[in-house]
Amino acid sequence: MDGGQENDALDVVRLLAGAPLAQCEYYPTVGSTHDVAHERARSADVELPLLVVADAQTAGRGRGQNQWWTGGGSLAFSLVFDPRDWQLAEVVQPQRSLAVGVAIADTVAPLTPRHRVGLHWPNDVFVDERKLGGVLVDVLAGGRHVIGIGLNVNNSFAGAPPEVVQRAISLTELTGRKLDRTGVLVELLRQLQSAMRQSAADPVGFGARFDTLCLQVGRELTIETAGQRATGVCAGIAPDGALLLEVAGQLTRHYSGVLVHDR
Amino acid sequence: MSKMAGPPSKEKEGDIFDVKRIRRLVELMNEHELAEIDLRQADQRIRLRKGGEPIIEVARPAAPAAPASGGAAPAAAPASDANLVEIKSPMIGTFYASSSPETPPFVKVGDHIGPTSTVCIIEAMKVFNEIPAEVSGLVVQVLVENGAPVEFGQPLYKIDPNK
């Protein structure tokens, strides 16, 4: 924790005391927290839940070939947990992916009361048409989950490539103040555990929140799945996590694929 | 004779057995290491299977341990469908045979797998789920192409648990 960053440094002791974690690995710089987390998740001898967090990533991962832009002051971390640690069913529940987005939105919304925080399907967190956070979820064959989250907290996009500046925003830019990153991370991890539990206990009731948070209703979206594209008007998100598109007067449900167009 | 992929009409029923079409299908089987292709459209059907086994599916009692045929390609070994078990998709999503486009598939025909072996990844709502085999045996057939959409319960692999 060097002097130049004392107000923004992550406090691992506070993290372990406040968040539902068994272990935390902190790196000033790492290739990708997700890669480290994957390695740990494949080891039998690891105490979970484990948080792998870094102040800077040199090869932060986004979906597929995408890279996550990690400027100084953002939060980039990956959480490894076994659903049984949180008394969750072992069966694969893809809507957990959306629950992660809900947890981020619930963490951020009280900090930005004048802005509408919501989701772009399935779990990107947006504010005012700009991306605030992204999520990657991998479920290993043994059931362990690796959840990677990038959240723009105290970073600024001044100096970032123009396409990033137009599409991204941070909490400090939204609030005009510097935030306590440790506090944000502790709250986010608590919200994550709570969202997972609620999603398991009341899938339909909790699932209704996906639609409430959906920011794309009424917009024309194109989703690409297995090389096939479908374009329609977004009619929200179903409680099971499906994207609802109205295509030629028919309501269609989409569980997989990438949104390639949004207007 | 046209090779356009339009719906075949009954009048042109002979087209389905066009040698070039069958040759192309065989090429596809080799290219993708498929042990079987089964295409149906209306009441027409082309079913190709490697290994000279009878096409008609008849439930048979498990064959006594047959001596290995020796030197045969692994793909050419299905004993009988009755002895095989299917690994099915536990969810609706997109099937990925490998962890990234640059890496080889998790399993291929002829591989021996155990219950904890990862056989594929199925992506649904941006969750990448490694799918465990949950059976042991020999991979006899890969039923889905990389990047294809899959339904809940759709068979993905055929496994011979006795090998």
Side-chain angles (χ1 to χ4, degrees):
Chain A
M1 314 277 171
D2 60 71
Q5 289 195 337
E6 69 269 358
N7 294 328
D8 206 21
L10 282 167
D11 182 340
V12 174
V13 176
R14 258 176 74 209
L15 267 177
L16 283 169
L21 295 173
Q23 280 194 80
C24 174
E25 284 186 30
Y26 162 77
Y27 297 89
T29 302
V30 74
S32 149
T33 60
H34 215 62
D35 291 346
V36 174
H38 257 267
E39 224 178 284
R40 302 292 181 270
R42 289 181 198 284
S43 157
D45 185 29
V46 61
E47 255 190 279
L48 301 179
L50 161 72
L51 180 75
V52 181
V53 61
D55 276 328
Q57 294 188 103
T58 54
R61 277 179 52 188
R63 186 178 190 175
Q65 305 301 314
N66 297 338
Q67 289 224 325
W68 178 257
W69 175 267
T70 312
S74 67
L75 271 178
F77 63 92
S78 297
L79 177 74
V80 184
F81 75 95
D82 189 312
R84 286 166 294 194
D85 295 337
W86 289 351
Q87 295 83 47
L88 305 171
E90 286 173 67
V91 290
V92 176
Q93 293 174 324
Q95 62 268 38
R96 279 185 192 148
S97 164
L98 283 87
V100 180
V102 173
I104 299 172
D106 285 353
T107 305
V108 166
L111 302 170
T112 59
R114 283 179 297 162
H115 299 272
R116 187 176 174 209
V117 181
L119 299 179
H120 280 201
W121 187 85
N123 57 16
D124 284 334
V125 178
F126 272 70
V127 176
D128 299 341
E129 294 303 305
R130 290 175 165 188
K131 190 165 171 175
L132 190 65
V135 178
L136 267 183
V137 183
D138 294 332
V139 179
L140 273 53
R144 286 177 173 175
H145 288 43
V146 182
I147 298 180
I149 296 179
L151 183 65
N152 299 319
V153 183
N154 287 334
N155 45 323
S156 154
F157 290 98
E163 66 274 17
V164 174
V165 175
Q166 285 164 15
R167 297 271 301 156
I169 197 155
S170 68
L171 285 175
T172 197
E173 288 169 337
L174 283 166
T175 60
R177 66 188 172 93
K178 204 167 184 181
L179 288 106
D180 165 23
R181 287 196 309 147
T182 305
V184 172
L185 182 48
V186 167
E187 180 60 16
L188 177 46
L189 292 167
R190 285 182 182 161
Q191 290 286 355
L192 200 58
Q193 185 187 43
S194 161
M196 294 287 169
R197 285 180 172 165
Q198 286 178 52
S199 164
D202 179 14
V204 175
F206 182 80
R209 297 208 55 211
F210 305 153
D211 198 51
T212 311
L213 287 167
C214 178
L215 294 176
Q216 293 165 300
V217 175
R219 282 156 57 162
E220 186 185 278
L221 306 180
T222 300
I223 188 165
E224 185 174 305
T225 312
Q228 303 267 336
R229 290 186 172 201
T231 297
V233 176
C234 176
I237 303 175
D240 66 357
L243 175 69
L244 302 173
L245 286 186
E246 202 179 305
V247 181
Q250 293 271 336
L251 196 62
T252 57
R253 301 167 77 88
H254 301 266
Y255 291 90
S256 180
V258 185
L259 291 177
V260 291
H261 169 73
D262 176 354
R263 75 173 180 217
Chain B
M1 197 177 287
S2 166
K3 301 295 178 304
M4 298 298 284
S9 65
K10 289 203 171 184
E11 289 73 33
K12 290 188 176 176
E13 210 167 291
D15 285 9
I16 195 170
F17 301 118
D18 180 276
V19 171
K20 279 185 187 164
R21 180 179 302 197
I22 294 189
R23 186 175 293 154
R24 177 69 192 128
L25 290 175
V26 171
E27 281 167 13
L28 278 172
M29 288 175 83
N30 290 332
E31 222 169 279
H32 298 285
E33 298 185 312
L34 301 177
E36 183 177 320
I37 283 188
D38 190 352
L39 301 173
R40 295 173 212 213
Q41 191 163 39
D43 56 352
Q44 298 183 313
R45 182 175 184 186
I46 299 180
R47 189 173 184 197
L48 303 174
R49 183 193 280 181
K50 286 185 186 175
E53 287 295 321
I55 291 297
I56 305 155
E57 289 181 13
V58 181
R60 296 191 288 202
S69 52
S80 133
D81 274 12
N83 299 329
L84 305 181
V85 291
E86 288 173 338
I87 299 175
K88 293 178 178 169
S89 177
M91 69 188 77
I92 186 169
T94 302
F95 171 91
Y96 292 103
S98 62
S99 60
S100 76
E102 298 83 38
T103 53
F106 290 105
V107 295
K108 55 187 188 308
V109 170
D111 284 355
H112 277 277
I113 55 169
T116 59
S117 304
T118 297
V119 291
C120 63
I121 285 177
I122 293 176
E123 180 269 339
M125 295 182 280
K126 231 167 88 179
V127 178
F128 292 81
N129 298 279
E130 290 182 358
I131 307 301
E134 291 180 344
V135 291
S136 318
L138 184 81
V139 180
V140 172
Q141 196 175 355
V142 182
L143 301 163
V144 183
E145 273 196 53
N146 187 45
V150 291
E151 298 291 330
F152 174 82
Q154 182 175 338
L156 307 172
Y157 296 90
K158 281 190 179 175
I159 307 297
D160 187 338
N162 301 314
K163 291 195 176 174

